[in-house]
Amino acid sequence: MKRHPLIWLSGAQPAILEQTPGDRAKYQGIGGAVLTTATLAGVSMFFALQMALRAPWYAALPISLVWFLAILNLDRWLVVSIQRGNRAWLVALPRLLMALLFGFIISTPLVLRIFQPEIETEINKIRQEQTERFQGDLSGGEVGRKIDALEKQETALLQTIAGGGTVVNPEEDPQIVALRERLGPLEKTRDENADAATCELTGDKCRDGSRKSGAGPRYENFRAKQREAERQIREIDRQIKDRRDDITATSKTSREQTLREANESLPGVQTQLENLRQIQSDEQQSFEQANEGNTGLLVRLDALNRASAGDFTLGLWRVLLFLLFTVIECLPIFVKVLQLYGPPNTYEQLAEEHAKRSVTTGKIRAETHEQALELEQTSQLSQSRSLVEARQEAAQKLGAMTAESELRVAAAILAAWEEREIARIPKHLDEYVTSTHDPIPEPGSPEPAPEPAVTPPFFGPGAPGVMPYYAPAFDEDARRADLEGRQPR
């Protein structure tokens, strides 16, 4: 049967489906649904890469293709793994939840792409709000406060220089301005500690707490902080008064000195002011670059939420499109699950019978294979036993043949020795007589200790005139060579 891609995607067996042509369209539809979901997943990944990472199309395309193949195989596995059974819903439930999860993830970039004009408009508003918030934080921060103080000091110095060294308003003197800036935090600290001490002593002016009255360690602590702040305030007030008096006194007598001091202080103030303004400008520029580059999925989701919050139509269509894409992504699983609650079609019945036959055939093949292995093992064991018995029998025969050969050789050696010794007797009679008869001891003499009789052996070392005979050792290699009909090594 010719294979069809949609049939393969549906997980159906072509050989069985060939016998049920009426069910072919159903499984082609399931395969088409799997292909559709994978295609939407690839398109969604393409949009997500372009929106979140600003990836060019030639970089986003291969990644989207890999994602398309991954979702294609995943959906095919989910469809194939859902089968009929007593508890099919337990098997289908986790797969359905997985399909829903992937459906939510895949449908989000598609919805964002459809509402891109509305999202871009809202993103511009978000950027403007963030810029204003950053500028406020930048002006109210430490750098902004220093810039404000230096600008006031620069204005005072310029007025002094413009007036020829005369300070028109003592309150605009840089030292007095700096001293008054220190008064604000100290006055706040004094008032807060005074209220806290009153709360501890009388129970009045309490922001929270039990409001119990009475002097204690906490009261004394607050009073000490209050007195310290008051002391510093008095000291600053004295310095302001002294500076004001100095300005008033010197404005009439030392205009040249005042002008010289202003000219000397102005460049340093302007340099500090320029450096701080540059730092502020760099921070502003960095923020603007980061703010312009913030085009990811999170800011787009935030923009879509804000755009749809006040627009019922936009919110409704957003929900409907999101559900539409999610249902499309889960469509193959939905179709497969719905099939479980209907009567089995012809293909399913044949597939079940085929599965049963496959199980039976597999069991028979397994049993046949085991029996064949047992027979092979039994044959090998019998062959090994026969080989051992044959070797034992051959070893016995070889031993008997070796013994017979040794006996014949020994008999031949004995005959040759006997003939040679008989020939030597006439010439060596005394030697043979002395060696075989002991001398008779004289009467009255002590009998010598008997010496062991030394009889020349017939075989082996020491036999007169006889070559030593050594029985050949039993050579296993020679025995194997005889049995195999080859020359020994």
Side-chain angles (χ1 to χ4, degrees), residues 75 78-79 82 92 95-96 99 330-338:
D75 285 345
L78 291 174
V79 169
I82 299 176
R95 290 160 174 79
L96 182 60
C330 302
L331 188 59
I333 310 302
F334 288 156
V335 173
K336 192 67 177 181
V337 171
L338 291 176

Side-chain angles (χ1 to χ4, degrees), residues 420-452:
R420 189 193 67 179
E421 292 299 319
I422 292 174
R424 292 181 70 247
I425 288 176
K427 295 181 180 182
H428 304 280
L429 179 62
D430 294 336
E431 179 183 348
Y432 282 97
V433 173
T434 301
S435 62
T436 55
H437 299 280
D438 296 332
I440 300 173
E442 294 181 1
S445 62
E447 295 182 358
E451 296 180 359

